[in-house]
Amino acid sequence: MPFALVGLMALPSHADTGDAELGEKVFQQCKGCHQVGAGAKNRIGPHLNGLFGRKAAGLEGFKYSKSFQRAGAGGLEWHADTLDVFLENPRAMTSGTRMSYRGLKDAQDRAHLIVYLRQFSDNPANIPEADPTAQAVDHDLDPAILTLVGDPEYGEYLSGECTTCHQAAGGDDGIPSITLWPEDQFVVAMHAYKNKQRNHPVMQMIAGRLGDEEIAALAAYFKDLEN
């Protein structure tokens, strides 16, 4: 079910208050895997020079995970808005990524980091804050939705439509695995399709037919599914 997030959201208004010097300090969390600036090279992760305006998995010479390759093929590009979403929770945007980084929850720290990284792309002042088709949407769910306790037996009953594409055994040959996903991430992803924040027509159609309790039930079922 969950697929690469390519829906866009407007950059939070606090982002224009980002401070590049503070962003450099935040970047210390990233230095173990990424380099940026003069002489930057690929390490565990790709270098981040020229990041803005680049398609996901678009840096030649770096071997990306299937998750990032799918995201790039689906249209994901790196701009201030998409980076803000990604940095908050990388695995929610690119399920199956090899990145071990759990995310930067502080919105102001993300703004600082984004401003810092923009310095290393061509003409950063001219890079759009969002694509022309971006819509200002709120990716945060009502807490009541996230606290719903799903019925895994009901989820199993509903899962037949999911497993026509996704492998219950957890394989991800061409289609990402949804087995053993944390419930909250599953729910967030499905509601992102339901609200058309994730741009995948089939998934938007499927999620649009599901109610909150049905999504919670599927999340509960796939969370513990083992074969």
Side-chain angles (χ1 to χ4, degrees), residues 114-199:
I114 288 168
V115 169
Y116 172 68
L117 292 174
R118 284 192 70 168
Q119 299 176 110
F120 305 101
S121 290
D122 293 337
N123 301 316
N126 298 323
I127 295 172
E129 291 294 323
D131 291 346
T133 56
Q135 298 179 358
V137 293
D138 184 0
H139 75 292
D140 293 325
L141 285 178
D142 182 340
I145 293 176
L146 290 172
T147 57
L148 284 174
V149 178
D151 179 348
E153 292 186 2
Y154 185 35
E156 183 177 11
Y157 169 75
L158 296 170
S159 68
E161 190 168 30
C162 308
T163 53
T164 58
C165 295
H166 298 275
Q167 299 179 41
D172 64 351
D173 186 14
I175 297 176
S177 171
I178 57 175
T179 300
L180 303 181
W181 253 41
E183 284 182 271
D184 59 340
Q185 293 184 21
F186 188 105
V187 171
V188 167
M190 288 302 294
H191 279 278
Y193 287 121
K194 188 180 178 74
N195 298 328
K196 294 183 168 52
Q197 292 171 239
R198 290 192 175 204
N199 183 23

Side-chain angles (χ1 to χ4, degrees), residues 67-94:
S67 179
F68 272 103
Q69 291 176 35
R70 286 193 293 267
L76 176 64
E77 290 185 353
W78 297 124
H79 299 292
D81 53 351
T82 48
L83 280 168
D84 186 65
V85 177
F86 176 75
L87 289 168
E88 183 177 10
N89 188 346
R91 290 183 182 275
M93 177 177 271
T94 51

Side-chain angles (χ1 to χ4, degrees), residues 3-19:
F3 200 77
L5 175 63
V6 293
L8 299 177
M9 62 179 292
L11 187 68
S13 58
H14 59 254
D16 58 4
T17 65
D19 184 304

Side-chain angles (χ1 to χ4, degrees), residues 37-99:
K41 298 179 180 179
N42 296 330
R43 301 186 68 186
I44 297 173
H47 74 72
L48 301 179
N49 291 342
L51 178 64
F52 284 76
R54 190 165 75 206
K55 186 168 72 171
L59 181 64
E60 293 186 9
F62 184 80
K63 186 176 181 179
Y64 290 92
S65 65
K66 291 182 179 179
S67 179
F68 272 103
Q69 291 176 35
R70 286 193 293 267
L76 176 64
E77 290 185 353
W78 297 124
H79 299 292
D81 53 351
T82 48
L83 280 168
D84 186 65
V85 177
F86 176 75
L87 289 168
E88 183 177 10
N89 188 346
R91 290 183 182 275
M93 177 177 271
T94 51
S95 57
T97 175
R98 295 191 297 263
M99 283 184 61

